[in-house]
Amino acid sequence: MTNTQTHVDRMDGNQVGRPTDARIEQVREMFDRHKIRTVQFGIPDIDGLIRGKFVPAEFFLESIARRGSTIPNIIFGWDMEDTLMDCFSFSGWQTGYSDVVLMPDLSTIRPIPWESGQAFVLCDVVNTDGSAVDVSPRTILKRQVERAAKLGYSFTAGYELEFYLYRETSESAAEKGYQNLRPATPGIATFSLHRAAALEDVVGAIREGMRACDIPVLASNTEYGAGQVEINIEHSDVLTTADRVAIYKNGVRRIAEQHGLLASFMAKVATESAGSSAHIHQSVQHASDPNRNAMWGGSGPSPTMWQILAGQLESMREFTILYCPTVNSYKRRVPGSWSPVSAAWGEDNRTAALRVIANEEGACRMENRLPGADANPYLALSACVASALHGIENKLEPPAAVVGNAYDQPGTELPSSLSEAIREFENGTIARQAFGDVFVDHFAASRRWERDRHRQAVGDWELKRYFERV
């Protein structure tokens, strides 16, 4: 695994180019102001983990920022435990694990206040000939943004992420087998100011740290599990939002460690615990008039809103895998859990998968309640945009809204397991048209790998149930 650099001038469809000397000098001045000595740079992998390198600030300015840095294509061939997934055509022994190139996107560079003297920058990833890496999640989202722009729309999103905090370390949690962990606060105390005050040292540090590195936080509160917290990230264009969420999740884990706590974004941390969601609030603007809400029709939802709604509903079974990408994701999604089980929509209805809020133009939006906190934000937002464009392009009409409890009403059931979600994704047509066969086949293979590792593992539930009885 070498550390050579390669100059890349372009990225098909996304124009990743060499930064100007003036832009480099702007970054240098920022480094001087904030006394930056070290730069972290990386990319989101298939699971949304940020993988990359640390380098001295001067080396970053003189080399990496200008020419990029090579890294083996295995970066898209590991699972989240760094086990080799030997099931791909893009990455595998047959490729010799050749290089791809990380090209810093200097628009994402920022000091990270929870790491003194360090800055962070996200990268695009290209092949050594400058062509796009078709399995890169950030590339997939950029392409959906470009598709939307060609139709005259721009998409914005806000992200509401739930996670758990434990009074544990990585080592102590592993020693306990990730069971019977001590929550940061005891008992369920949703929206409790008292419980929130007990966590304010760490949650306040998260809010202030994020604000200081251009990740605006709107609010934080305790949630429906012991030690569970929700923090809401202000809306922005979908690429900026995905970048913010990726940096945020890394930051939350690190700030928690600095306060003697352990954070988990797992969708369902324990059988008896509430699941952790990633609710996505979506709005759409006309590209020619960014101040105009394309979802608003003067006195209520516009025809565009209805088309977007219909597109997201029609594609929801096929795109479930992008919202719920792990075996564990489906433990969260059961009736009566605040997590949807059917493709249904309602007006200000939190039992439905899509919640329409349309009281006034400024706040008119749609909330997608299907994604879990374990979703890759680039792929979840890609699914939102691609399915919305599917509805717009085909002028779809939504079914009637559900009224009351969506769990008690018939509807189009969503996949209830990773296996079922894989079948829907692979056999569908909307994802292949939006993302291309290369990505669909690669991502589906990675999910089959995930499913099969689970099938082969003997778990605590099986031992407790069967060890002495069969």
Side-chain angles (χ1 to χ4, degrees):
M1 299 182 183
T2 63
N3 193 30
T4 58
Q5 284 73 49
T6 301
H7 167 58
V8 175
D9 279 322
R10 65 181 178 82
M11 176 174 168
D12 291 354
N14 290 305
Q15 296 301 310
V16 173
R18 197 171 186 173
T20 64
D21 289 342
R23 181 68 180 111
I24 295 291
E25 285 308 306
Q26 288 175 341
V27 175
R28 186 186 301 277
E29 291 170 6
M30 185 267 281
F31 282 5
D32 290 342
R33 284 197 310 275
H34 295 277
K35 297 180 172 56
I36 300 299
R37 301 181 303 276
T38 303
V39 179
Q40 304 179 27
F41 65 96
I43 60 169
D45 71 3
I46 285 295
D47 287 296
L49 282 67
I50 303 299
R51 297 185 184 266
K53 305 176 185 180
F54 284 57
V55 295
E58 193 61 31
F59 181 61
F60 177 84
L61 290 168
E62 296 302 322
S63 181
I64 306 297
R66 298 176 185 276
R67 292 183 289 275
S69 178
T70 57
I71 198 166
N73 67 24
I74 198 174
I75 201 165
F76 292 117
W78 280 313
D79 68 12
M80 62 181 67
E81 289 188 307
D82 286 14
T83 303
L84 175 65
M85 295 186 284
D86 193 17
C87 55
F88 302 126
S89 58
F90 172 80
S91 174
W93 294 111
Q94 76 284 355
T95 72
Y97 292 111
S98 54
D99 282 336
V100 292
V101 185
L102 307 188
M103 290 297 299
D105 179 347
L106 295 184
S107 71
T108 70
I109 200 162
R110 66 199 73 203
I112 41 177
W114 53 88
E115 303 286 6
S116 178
Q118 294 189 25
F120 181 89
V121 62
L122 284 159
C123 300
D124 289 301
V125 56
V126 297
N127 295 304
T128 54
D129 65 359
S131 60
V133 170
D134 293 327
V135 302
S136 166
R138 197 166 190 262
T139 297
I140 293 297
L141 180 54
K142 279 190 163 187
R143 286 174 173 170
Q144 304 318 302
V145 171
E146 291 174 355
R147 285 182 61 209
K150 289 177 181 177
L151 290 174
Y153 296 100
S154 61
F155 284 72
T156 59
Y159 228 85
E160 296 178 351
L161 269 167
E162 297 166 346
F163 60 94
Y164 278 83
L165 287 170
Y166 296 96
R167 297 195 181 279
E168 304 282 352
T169 65
S170 295
E171 292 77 12
S172 69
E175 287 171 2
K176 293 179 178 180
Y178 302 97
Q179 295 187 12
N180 302 313
L181 304 182
R182 182 186 174 196
T185 55
I188 299 172
T190 315
F191 293 110
S192 167
L193 295 182
H194 174 68
R195 286 283 187 260
L199 293 172
E200 181 59 12
D201 58 340
V202 60
V203 175
I206 292 169
R207 288 198 315 268
E208 290 305 304
M210 296 303 151
R211 181 193 61 78
C213 68
D214 189 34
I215 303 176
V217 168
L218 293 177
S220 61
N221 59 269
T222 55
E223 260 296 337
Y224 196 59
Q228 190 181 32
V229 174
E230 178 181 297
I231 295 180
N232 301 338
I233 298 172
E234 187 176 0
H235 75 280
S236 186
D237 68 272
V238 289
L239 181 61
T240 296
T241 293
D243 288 342
R244 285 173 171 174
V245 172
I247 297 169
Y248 164 89
K249 291 179 79 171
N250 260 11
V252 166
R253 294 187 186 98
R254 184 70 181 113
I255 294 168
E257 287 177 347
Q258 292 169 345
H259 286 76
L261 300 173
L262 184 66
S264 176
F265 290 91
M266 195 171 170
K268 185 80 168 174
V269 295
T271 303
E272 68 280 2
S273 298
S276 290
S277 302
H279 299 152
I280 300 176
H281 288 256
Q282 311 163 69
S283 56
V284 184
Q285 293 74 41
H286 292 280
S288 59
D289 185 3
N291 296 319
R292 182 182 168 198
N293 189 339
M295 286 185 163
W296 183 253
S299 59
S302 67
T304 300
M305 163 74 100
W306 296 132
Q307 291 170 0
I308 289 170
L309 177 63
Q312 294 205 355
L313 289 173
E314 184 168 292
S315 61
M316 194 165 278
R317 279 185 60 83
E318 189 174 328
F319 284 4
T320 294
I321 198 170
L322 301 177
Y323 301 128
C324 304
T326 71
V327 172
N328 179 256
S329 302
Y330 299 84
K331 306 292 178 66
R332 160 182 163 262
R333 291 188 39 250
V334 294
S337 64
W338 304 99
S339 177
V341 297
S342 64
W345 75 277
E347 296 180 7
D348 196 12
N349 188 332
R350 287 181 170 85
T351 69
L354 297 177
R355 172 178 167 240
V356 171
I357 305 104
N359 299 318
E360 57 178 335
E361 181 175 5
C364 184
R365 64 195 188 277
M366 183 170 64
E367 178 189 19
N368 187 333
R369 298 179 59 82
L370 179 56
D374 55 347
N376 183 329
Y378 295 91
L379 299 183
L381 286 165
S382 292
C384 287
V385 177
S387 57
L389 297 180
H390 173 69
I392 292 171
E393 289 172 331
N394 293 283
K395 296 182 172 54
L396 300 181
E397 293 289 336
V402 296
V403 178
N405 187 354
Y407 297 119
D408 291 340
Q409 300 183 39
T412 302
E413 291 187 4
L414 296 171
S416 59
S417 69
L418 186 57
S419 289
E420 187 180 355
I422 292 168
R423 288 195 300 273
E424 291 291 328
F425 187 64
E426 277 193 303
N427 296 333
T429 59
I430 304 171
R432 292 187 180 277
Q433 291 171 355
F435 310 133
D437 290 337
V438 173
F439 172 78
V440 170
D441 292 341
H442 187 94
F443 190 71
S446 77
R447 297 309 92 186
R448 279 196 300 274
W449 173 273
E450 188 80 7
R451 176 202 65 193
D452 291 346
R453 300 293 77 71
H454 176 258
R455 282 179 173 174
Q456 294 166 8
V458 176
D460 292 334
W461 183 89
E462 296 163 277
L463 291 172
K464 181 181 177 181
R465 189 173 184 85
Y466 301 130
F467 193 86
E468 291 187 88
R469 294 180 174 88
V470 295

